[in-house]
Amino acid sequence: MIKSHMNGMAGGNGVLYPIIGFSLCVAFIYMSFGDLWVDIRGETKLSFVERNGTQFMVDGKPFNINGWNSYWLMDHGVDESSRSRISAMLQAGAKMGLTVCRTWAFNDGGYNALQISPGRFDERVFRSLDHVIAEVRKHGIRLILSLVNNLQAYGGKTQYVQWAWEEGVGLSASNDSFFYDPSILRYFKSYVKTVLTRKNTLSGIEYRDDPTIFAWELINEPRCMTDASGDTLQDWIEEMSNFVKAIDRKHLLTVGLEGFYGPKSPKKLTVNTEFWAADLGSDFIHNSKISTIDFASVHIYPDHWSHTPDFEYKLKFISKWMLSHIEDGDKELKKPVMFTEFGLSTENKDFDPSQRDRFYKVILDIIYKSAKKQKSGAGAFVWQFLVEGMEKYNDDFLIVPWERPSTYRLFTEQSCRLARIQGSLPSQKEHLKRLCWQRR
Ligand SMILES: *[C@@H]1O[C@H](CO)[C@@H](O)[C@H](O)[C@H]1NC(C)=O
Ligand SMILES: *[C@@H]1O[C@H](CO)[C@@H](O)[C@H](O)[C@H]1NC(C)=O
């Protein structure tokens, strides 16, 4: 695999030496994958991540995040046969110097459901989530755990509405009744409480007391199109964020928004991709400003959000989109802003893998510059990393990072340059020294 990459890269390229030199270096990293010693021990003392204004802090130092998404971790821990993928992914993340992984802490109804029906949990699946958290800690990484999906995958709000309907208590068949039906609000609160107060069977620590968890996310990509004013979603966020904080004051909390500007925002015309984006019932500023929300979340998907196929347009868009939200974080919200998903689809007509590197680089550069100037742009999480043999979990954003040396290099380089300005986490210090030394 590496060999063919090297041949491919050397062929027809004028700048031969640096590229070969670099490929060899990556080949070394790749070949040692799985056996390269990473100095991370289970007993490493972890502290909670905190916030000071627009900055995350850990152990009194600023913490800007080079992170990633692997939504499938809990699902893969249920069956013994796929469990090894969890540690393979975490080991890979740790080796790349990544510090936070975002994943699903929900699976409602359906196969391998954590919540089988309202308030009924599958202990096997909960143990898998216990395992994920314990493994993450062992690797010196932290987790953002999302609590429900706006989309239908893994149940989502559709499943909650169906449950209410089946039990004869549902007010409406609308999926958006998730946000206002009193029975469903109760279901969701009961779910949240069970997860937050879960005592990990491996570590004995309740989730709400576990510093391995960087933050909770209320819902992945909320939209409530039946109320474009945004009031319904705003009320739901207020109610649920207060509920979370009443149980758990130690962890940070975010919403899980895509980041669209709402109908009252002047930026709906200048920054949103297209007019419809202001009518989804979400409102980045208003929703993120709620005092029980500790940091803002934003996604970056120009492929899905715009009819303009031009790649250069997309690059310009992502800069504008990110800088606008970082400006909001600094001036309006006075909170950190995290780009918790970004991706470039392989479905684009003119797709070429090298475009991904350019796309990612724009994003990682903006985070790096923000970190250097202590602005609010506190981190980015690529969507999505998998390990080999997981084709079934593919969407058009899949990446096995070590299969493409230039991509691998981009992410490790980001870990190294962030560490140079903010220092490295104690758990990663020795490893980063090696990784970043290799890089030069
Ligand atoms: C928080 O940030 C302010 C500046 O924004 C700084 O003066 C203060 O020392 C920081 N507090 C901590 C605990 O780091
Ligand atoms: C709810 O969402 C699901 C999945 O997107 C969809 O199939 C269904 O038709 C929706 N229900 C209503 C009443 O719109």
Side-chain angles (χ1 to χ4, degrees), residues 13-25:
N13 198 314
V15 206
L16 214 53
Y17 277 92
I19 288 176
I20 286 182
F22 165 66
S23 298
L24 287 174
C25 172

Side-chain angles (χ1 to χ4, degrees), residues 34-160:
D35 56 48
L36 177 61
W37 167 74
V38 183
D39 181 29
I40 286 152
R41 307 261 157 73
E43 65 271 24
T44 309
K45 198 184 164 306
L46 274 189
S47 12
F48 281 89
V49 177
E50 298 171 320
R51 172 172 83 90
N52 180 17
T54 61
Q55 305 294 302
F56 291 123
M57 309 289 289
V58 60
D59 298 323
K61 289 196 301 190
F63 184 38
N64 293 279
I65 290 112
N66 190 22
W68 87 99
N69 283 277
S70 287
Y71 70 85
W72 45 269
L73 297 178
M74 177 177 77
D75 187 45
H76 278 241
V78 182
D79 296 319
E80 200 64 56
S81 59
S82 52
R83 187 165 285 187
S84 62
R85 288 183 186 142
I86 298 171
S87 36
M89 186 67 248
L90 296 172
Q91 175 77 356
K95 281 174 79 166
M96 296 170 79
L98 307 179
T99 49
V100 182
C101 174
R102 176 171 172 268
T103 196
W104 296 167
F106 60 80
N107 188 351
D108 299 301
Y111 183 70
N112 275 351
L114 173 58
Q115 187 173 215
I116 304 160
S117 58
R120 271 188 62 223
F121 290 77
D122 186 339
E123 179 60 22
R124 278 180 328 135
V125 184
F126 238 145
R127 281 176 193 240
S128 170
L129 189 54
D130 292 347
H131 171 73
V132 167
I133 295 172
E135 279 294 302
V136 162
R137 181 176 195 134
K138 245 191 243 168
H139 286 86
I141 295 170
R142 286 180 173 82
L143 280 171
I144 292 183
L145 292 176
S146 190
L147 294 167
V148 68
N149 207 350
N150 187 79
L151 312 169
Q152 206 182 357
Y154 296 90
K157 62 183 189 183
T158 305
Q159 177 64 76
Y160 276 88

Side-chain angles (χ1 to χ4, degrees), residues 65-70 96 98 100 102 104 217 220-221 256-258 297-305 311 314-315 317-319 321-322 337-346 355-368 378-385 395-399 401 407 410-412 414 417-418:
I65 290 112
N66 190 22
W68 87 99
N69 283 277
S70 287
M96 296 170 79
L98 307 179
V100 182
R102 176 171 172 268
W104 296 167
E217 176 182 283
N220 176 49
E221 301 192 340
L257 294 169
E258 293 162 284
S297 34
V298 182
H299 292 182
I300 310 176
Y301 288 114
D303 297 331
H304 289 174
W305 297 347
F311 180 64
K314 287 175 192 167
L315 292 184
F317 165 75
I318 55 180
S319 285
W321 180 252
M322 289 181 77
V337 176
M338 292 261 266
F339 298 87
T340 45
E341 286 188 22
F342 63 88
L344 184 70
S345 170
T346 50
Q355 287 174 343
R356 275 196 171 157
D357 294 343
R358 288 183 65 204
F359 186 95
Y360 298 159
K361 187 166 188 318
V362 169
I363 293 165
L364 300 179
D365 281 352
I366 290 176
I367 296 300
Y368 173 65
F381 294 66
V382 62
W383 183 272
Q384 55 150 331
F385 281 172
D395 54 14
D396 42 325
F397 296 96
L398 156 128
I399 314 163
T407 307
L410 262 179
F411 285 100
T412 51
Q414 178 80 343
R417 61 183 180 167
L418 286 179

